[in-house]
Amino acid sequence: MLEIIDLHASVDDKPILKGLNLQIRPGEVHAIMGPNGSGKSTLSHVLAGRPGYDVRGSVRFNGQDLLDLAPEERAWAGLFLAFQYPVEIPGVSNTNFMRSALNQVRNQRGLSALEAGDFLKIMREKAALVQLDPSFLSRPVNLGFSGGEKKRNEIFQMAMLDPRLAILDETDSGLDIDALRIVAEGVQKLRREDNSFLVITHYQRLLDHLKPDIVHVLMDGKIIRTGDHTLALELEEKGYDWLKAKFV
Amino acid sequence: MRVDHTDPVPVVNDKPEEDVLLNKWAEQDYEFGFISNIEQDIVPKGLSEEVIRWISAHKEEPSWLLDWRLKAYRHWLTMPSPQWAHLEIPAIDFQNISYYAAPKANAKLNSLDELDPEIKSTYDKLGIPLEEQLILAGVAVDAVLDSVSVVTTYKEKLAEKGIIFCSFSEAVREHPELVRKHLGKVVPYTDNYYAALNSAVFSDGSFVYIPKGVRCPMELSTYFRINAAGTGQFERTLIVADDEAYVSYLEGCTAPKRDENQLHAAVVELVALNRSEIRYATVQNWYPGDANGIGGIYNFVTKRGICQGVSSKISWTQVETGSAITWKYPSVVLLGDRSTGEFYSVALAARAQQADTGTKMIHICKDTTRRIVSKGISAGRGQNAYRGLVKVRESATNARNYSQCDSLLMGDRCGAHTYPYFEINCPDAQVEHEATTSKIEEDLLYYCQQRGLPTEEAIALIVNGYAKEVLDKLPMEFAVEARKLLAISLEGSVG
Ligand SMILES: Nc1ncnc2c1ncn2[C@@H]1O[C@H](COP(=O)(O)OP(=O)(O)OP(=O)(O)O)[C@@H](O)[C@H]1O
Ligand SMILES: [Mg+2]
């Protein structure tokens, strides 16, 4: 699914990712944990194609060279990023936004555009999946949404676009306890043998729900430790200092 | 009294080229640039009393109208051309313009079947179906090609309600008393340079009269099309809503792609009597010229409405995407007590386009309300100026005036300028003015792209969202059209 080899990224000559390696196979859920400022969001943006980074290294995504693609081409290839800080779009309703996006993605995947009725049906289904109140569908994208509502809206969009690989950047931060469970259950329902998730988080709670196959620790721009879900428990207990002492 | 406004200082986008994306404003093909092969009657180029007499005679006008034209012409000769707008207007050679062009064989048509097939296909290409049975959602259409009105649809149906909707020429013939009563009363020929010129040489346009107590049952609309080369278009529209009447009117404009500049100097007069309402919407897509500023229409238009009756209302909505230069300030004079004026505008200046637009509102009587929402979009080397004058006379107690004026800049070679003017002579007036200038944030674009939208589609979506408040004021079918136009006008502009 995804193979990252020796990935470097810098902004204004400041190195942030410093030789990162990661491999994700179809059907897997990976978690990335790591201290603030270690480069987790940078990794997600470099994968999604945000402009402004100097990038070196190789990233293969389902046989394509991901770094050669424009952001929208990465989306068409099945990459989705749930933003840590979702952006507001004044005057554009969630419905309109998703219809444009979904029809574009379908078109690129060789599917026909959806009839209005079919689209609305899918939209209601997916909104129900993450228990997003339908009133949010007619509101401008993220405008005036609370922090938690924005996160839930990201997962709704993910459900709509049916990606092959979804990167969730701290989607759990800002969610209340019930919302966290709902979002986690939503993600569980979307899991299939042919899609994968990369979940960036600081907390054990989401991982309790999601039961990741593999947990990584990202520190100072590199993955310094990889393990199973018990690694997350160990981090919860000990923090990052013991790893720092050992590896940096 | 509260005045809350920014100084009339130009806001110019001086950001360094931070995103190459938004800078590469290439030229997008103008969809309506075709030239139709229609036999024309064109008066030789040049402007003189002889030409005016010829036009008037050709149209078999009464002598009072010829006199009025000649007065306007003599007055025009004494006027300097206006220089105050934020525009670079190349000198116009008024002797090098033909003031009248009409399709040949424009004898009165009895039915649409008699229309020149080439004219019909011109309008088909524009997507304006003239066949009445094809007209969806009950839109009555008047089509003006170059100088004359070609056909007016749905006339009989409207006549049953006493509504008059016809070409200006026909109104002069059939309803001279109504025309004479109102012509030049809202925009006198002395008003300004281009209004004087129009009054001297205007050739056709639309006329609407809604009788007392009648709600016009369908949208009325006029499509203006410049086809002939070397001509100007000088049309005149007059709409009168009698007591308790209501009408919604829309005009659309296109022109062929030519390297020469063509002049369009129109006058629109609206008269709203007691408790009546006029909604006037414009979707203007005259040929804008190419990326280097070659060709395009000079759109110098005087539009004004007078809320003459108590509790009357006039609302202007405009989507201005075309023209090389736009110079236009739809205004409302609030003469009746408790009258309301509104102005909703989206003006786009891409390529090398220049737009200087805005509104004037003059509060004369008491309890009058004015609301203004202006959304400017500048791209490429486009220059967009908003100019708004608020005048509150001493007599206008309890006047309320709210203006919001937003500018969106795309790339670093365009400009946005805001010039608010206030003349407040009544101490209890509430006047609010807000202005913002913004750019499309790179992160907003990236977010849309991450969801699978290519840059152009993302920009179209964002721009339509930005203009939504104004677009929502348009009748449904036209809002869809206007959205497409905005998207098309910005296409090829990025990437
Ligand atoms: N555009 C930028 N300009 C300068 N520094 C940047 C930029 N983007 C990221 N950085 C820096 O790179 C480092 C990594 O940032 P990043 O957002 O990837 O961290 P993170 O691991 O996601 O942190 P958090 O857990 O707080 O979300 C930080 O020190 C940050 O300040
Ligand atoms: Mg982060």
Side-chain angles (χ1 to χ4, degrees):
Chain A
M1 172 74 61
L2 182 76
E3 188 177 26
I4 304 175
I5 300 168
D6 196 26
L7 183 65
H8 292 256
S10 54
V11 174
D12 300 333
D13 295 329
K14 179 188 169 202
I16 300 172
L17 300 182
K18 304 170 183 172
L20 185 142
N21 297 291
L22 178 66
Q23 196 176 2
I24 301 179
R25 281 179 292 267
E28 289 181 347
V29 174
H30 288 230
I32 292 189
M33 305 184 80
N36 295 133
S38 56
K40 303 181 297 298
S41 292
T42 303
L43 171 64
S44 64
H45 286 309
V46 166
L47 294 178
R50 182 199 204 166
Y53 300 100
D54 275 330
V55 180
R56 275 188 299 121
S58 137
V59 180
R60 308 280 305 169
F61 181 55
N62 290 324
Q64 291 192 78
D65 195 339
L66 193 71
L67 300 178
D68 282 351
L69 304 179
E72 64 271 25
E73 292 171 322
R74 301 181 195 202
W76 303 338
L79 187 88
F80 181 90
L81 170 60
F83 284 54
Q84 184 175 4
Y85 304 109
V87 177
E88 302 182 342
I89 316 179
V92 178
S93 70
N94 246 337
T95 302
N96 233 336
F97 185 53
M98 275 297 104
R99 189 166 47 197
S100 303
L102 183 57
N103 281 334
Q104 186 63 243
V105 166
R106 285 177 63 91
N107 183 25
Q108 297 296 336
R109 294 176 189 166
L111 300 167
S112 61
L114 287 169
E115 297 288 328
D118 295 335
F119 170 78
L120 288 173
K121 196 164 151 270
I122 293 179
M123 195 171 64
R124 281 199 210 99
E125 255 172 51
K126 305 297 181 184
L129 185 77
V130 294
Q131 298 188 18
L132 184 77
D133 190 286
S135 66
F136 285 91
L137 300 175
S138 52
R139 283 174 58 178
V141 181
N142 294 328
L143 196 72
F145 288 24
S146 76
E149 288 164 351
K150 283 182 185 169
K151 295 299 181 68
R152 202 185 286 210
N153 199 28
E154 293 290 285
I155 299 302
F156 161 69
Q157 294 184 30
M158 177 185 86
M160 288 298 294
L161 297 175
D162 189 23
R164 307 286 302 278
L165 172 67
I167 305 168
L168 274 48
D169 190 356
E170 293 199 29
T171 301
D172 52 342
S173 304
L175 289 179
D176 66 40
I177 298 165
D178 290 338
L180 186 76
R181 183 179 42 78
I182 290 159
V183 164
E185 284 171 5
V187 172
Q188 284 295 7
K189 282 183 204 147
L190 294 169
R191 277 185 76 168
R192 291 194 311 254
E193 294 211 331
D194 64 345
N195 63 15
S196 316
F197 293 84
L198 179 60
V199 180
I200 296 170
T201 182
H202 289 296
Y203 307 107
Q204 179 58 37
R205 201 185 289 272
L206 179 67
L207 302 181
D208 285 344
H209 289 289
L210 284 186
K211 307 200 176 51
D213 302 295
I214 297 172
V215 175
H216 309 272
V217 178
L218 179 65
M219 204 182 277
D220 193 27
K222 280 189 287 239
I223 289 183
I224 58 157
R225 185 135 178 156
T226 295
D228 60 14
H229 69 277
T230 57
L231 175 59
L233 292 169
E234 201 173 349
L235 289 169
E236 181 99 332
E237 198 180 307
K238 299 190 196 164
Y240 293 107
D241 282 351
W242 63 283
L243 281 171
K244 251 184 221 161
K246 231 169 170 171
F247 292 95
V248 179
Chain B
M1 193 199 93
R2 195 157 114 230
V3 178
D4 169 18
H5 66 87
T6 48
D7 290 333
V9 172
V11 185
V12 183
N13 176 20
D14 55 8
K15 269 271 177 74
E17 29 78 71
E18 68 171 59
D19 43 275
V20 188
L21 265 185
L22 292 173
N23 274 330
K24 286 197 213 148
W25 290 90
E27 191 204 1
Q28 167 66 19
D29 251 9
Y30 178 73
E31 203 185 342
F32 305 103
F34 59 87
I35 297 169
S36 303
N37 219 342
I38 300 164
E39 267 200 87
Q40 298 271 355
D41 272 330
I42 300 184
V43 70
K45 286 179 176 177
L47 182 55
S48 63
E49 291 204 3
E50 279 59 57
V51 168
I52 292 166
R53 283 176 202 282
W54 184 90
I55 293 173
S56 189
H58 193 77
K59 301 174 80 64
E60 299 169 18
E61 287 178 353
S63 60
W64 63 264
L65 191 50
L66 174 62
D67 289 345
W68 191 73
R69 287 175 177 276
L70 290 172
K71 272 191 232 159
Y73 175 65
R74 287 170 198 142
H75 185 77
W76 178 76
L77 289 173
T78 67
M79 300 173 90
S81 67
Q83 298 296 338
W84 45 266
H86 187 92
L87 298 172
E88 278 178 39
I89 306 176
I92 297 170
D93 181 357
F94 290 98
Q95 297 306 334
N96 195 29
I97 293 174
S98 167
Y99 288 84
Y100 189 85
K104 269 219 169 79
N106 183 51
K108 281 173 211 112
L109 301 173
N110 293 317
S111 83
L112 283 164
D113 302 335
E114 295 174 24
L115 190 62
D116 182 339
E118 187 70 26
I119 294 177
K120 220 172 136 294
S121 95
T122 299
Y123 283 96
D124 286 343
K125 276 190 228 168
L126 294 171
I128 304 160
L130 291 174
E131 287 92 342
E132 297 187 25
Q133 65 272 23
L134 283 184
I135 295 172
L136 301 165
V139 177
V141 179
D142 184 19
V144 176
L145 186 71
D146 294 322
S147 303
V148 296
S149 172
V150 196
V151 63
T152 308
T153 61
Y154 270 128
K155 210 165 16 189
E156 284 77 21
K157 190 150 182 263
L158 293 167
E160 284 167 21
K161 296 208 158 219
I163 294 170
I164 304 168
F165 176 39
C166 62
S167 73
F168 207 93
S169 309
E170 190 180 328
V172 170
R173 283 194 306 271
E174 310 286 330
H175 312 280
E177 68 301 332
L178 271 176
V179 174
R180 195 171 183 179
K181 183 170 169 196
H182 295 287
L183 176 73
K185 295 300 187 305
V186 185
V187 180
Y189 61 75
T190 50
D191 190 80
N192 70 71
Y193 191 74
Y194 293 105
L197 179 64
N198 173 287
S199 303
V201 302
F202 77 90
S203 34
D204 215 331
S206 295
F207 176 82
V208 177
Y209 172 77
I210 315 287
K212 278 193 175 70
V214 172
R215 270 187 82 84
C216 184
M218 60 185 75
E219 304 282 343
L220 303 183
S221 80
T222 302
Y223 275 86
F224 294 100
R225 168 87 183 157
I226 296 178
N227 189 56
T231 59
Q233 190 173 56
F234 304 92
E235 88 270 359
R236 234 184 140 92
T237 297
L238 174 57
I239 300 178
V240 180
D242 213 322
D243 295 352
E244 277 102 38
Y246 168 87
V247 61
S248 167
Y249 180 90
L250 183 125
E251 60 172 357
C253 330
T254 60
K257 204 162 158 171
R258 289 211 168 85
D259 286 345
E260 61 172 2
N261 294 108
Q262 284 180 283
L263 178 62
H264 171 251
V267 170
V268 175
E269 298 180 284
L270 309 183
V271 181
L273 301 179
N274 293 326
R275 291 171 295 279
S276 67
E277 178 172 353
I278 301 176
R279 304 180 151 270
Y280 192 106
T282 304
V283 175
Q284 184 263 110
N285 186 32
W286 297 118
Y287 177 54
D290 69 10
N292 300 314
I294 306 296
I297 301 294
Y298 293 161
N299 189 36
F300 302 154
V301 172
T302 306
K303 290 188 166 165
R304 190 174 306 149
I306 179 160
C307 281
Q308 197 162 306
V310 298
S311 302
S312 54
K313 180 171 175 180
I314 289 178
S315 172
W316 297 103
T317 303
Q318 59 174 23
V319 176
E320 304 275 328
T321 58
S323 295
I325 303 177
T326 293
W327 180 93
K328 175 180 172 190
Y329 315 90
S331 306
V332 182
V333 180
L334 298 167
L335 191 60
D337 288 350
R338 296 181 299 285
S339 56
T340 304
E342 292 178 337
F343 174 71
Y344 297 96
S345 168
V346 174
L348 179 144
R351 304 177 184 83
Q353 284 171 270
Q354 306 177 60
D356 194 303
T357 182
T359 184
K360 273 196 284 191
M361 49 234 107
I362 302 167
H363 299 258
I364 296 174
C365 280
K366 58 180 195 282
D367 303 327
T368 49
T369 308
R370 187 74 158 101
R371 184 178 160 78
I372 295 160
V373 177
S374 160
K375 304 271 182 180
I377 300 159
S378 311
R381 290 188 291 126
Q383 292 292 329
N384 214 324
Y386 169 81
R387 197 178 295 278
L389 168 70
V390 179
K391 208 184 238 184
V392 181
R393 296 264 177 90
E394 273 157 77
S395 52
T397 53
N398 192 25
R400 276 166 297 164
N401 194 301
Y402 170 77
S403 359
Q404 170 161 355
C405 168
D406 298 326
S407 307
L408 185 67
L409 297 165
M410 306 173 74
D412 57 17
R413 290 176 301 163
C414 54
H417 318 266
T418 305
Y419 304 102
Y421 304 93
F422 299 90
E423 287 175 33
I424 317 289
N425 294 312
C426 184
D428 71 352
Q430 284 179 41
V431 178
E432 287 180 56
H433 176 92
E434 285 175 30
T436 67
T437 300
S438 53
K439 294 193 65 171
I440 292 187
E441 298 296 331
E442 213 171 52
D443 268 349
L444 181 49
L445 217 61
Y446 162 58
Y447 186 75
C448 295
Q449 289 168 317
Q450 206 306 298
R451 299 309 186 233
L453 297 173
T455 313
E456 285 188 350
E457 208 183 313
I459 287 181
L461 195 82
I462 293 165
V463 167
N464 273 306
Y466 164 78
K468 182 170 187 294
E469 194 179 348
V470 174
L471 298 177
D472 282 353
K473 297 286 168 192
L474 291 172
M476 251 281 272
E477 316 86 82
F478 300 114
V480 172
E481 197 59 26
R483 281 197 186 96
K484 273 196 237 148
L485 262 184
L486 280 177
I488 290 169
S489 308
L490 290 169
E491 245 173 55
S493 309
V494 283

